Amino acid sequence: MSRKEELKKQIAEIEKEISDLEQKRLRSQSVIIEAFIDKVDPPATDAEYFKTLTSIINLQREKLQMLVAELESL
């Protein structure tokens, strides 16, 4: 497989993973927003889950940017 094809495949996989992670993050995000509206502290587990998923998403976005840059340089 050529390097371009391999990069395109990796980019597609990472984009799918980011999308899946964002969907998972929506539940905790909803709980946090509801707590904000109700003026109460959100459950610690949901806040930690949100932070963890956000960190993973950001790492994947950085990886995606590197792969896209590499693809564009070919």
Side-chain angles (χ1 to χ4, degrees):
M1 182 182 314
S2 75
R3 182 66 181 148
K4 280 188 177 185
E5 290 176 21
E6 184 179 321
L7 286 171
K8 287 178 183 180
K9 182 179 177 186
Q10 289 176 343
I11 289 169
E13 289 172 358
I14 291 174
E15 288 173 339
K16 171 77 168 104
E17 184 177 349
I18 290 171
S19 178
D20 292 345
L21 290 168
E22 287 174 337
Q23 287 295 318
K24 289 179 183 180
R25 186 176 65 170
L26 282 176
R27 182 194 167 278
S28 59
Q29 186 176 10
S30 298
V31 171
I32 292 169
I33 291 172
E34 183 178 356
F36 177 75
I37 291 170
D38 293 341
K39 298 180 181 170
V40 297
D41 290 335
T45 54
D46 285 303
E48 280 303 310
Y49 192 66
F50 179 83
K51 288 178 186 179
T52 301
L53 286 173
T54 299
S55 295
I56 295 170
I57 289 168
N58 289 336
L59 289 172
Q60 289 300 87
R61 285 184 179 150
E62 288 174 15
K63 186 175 178 181
L64 179 62
Q65 288 175 347
M66 290 187 319
L67 290 174
V68 169
E70 184 179 345
L71 179 63
E72 289 174 349
S73 70
L74 293 178

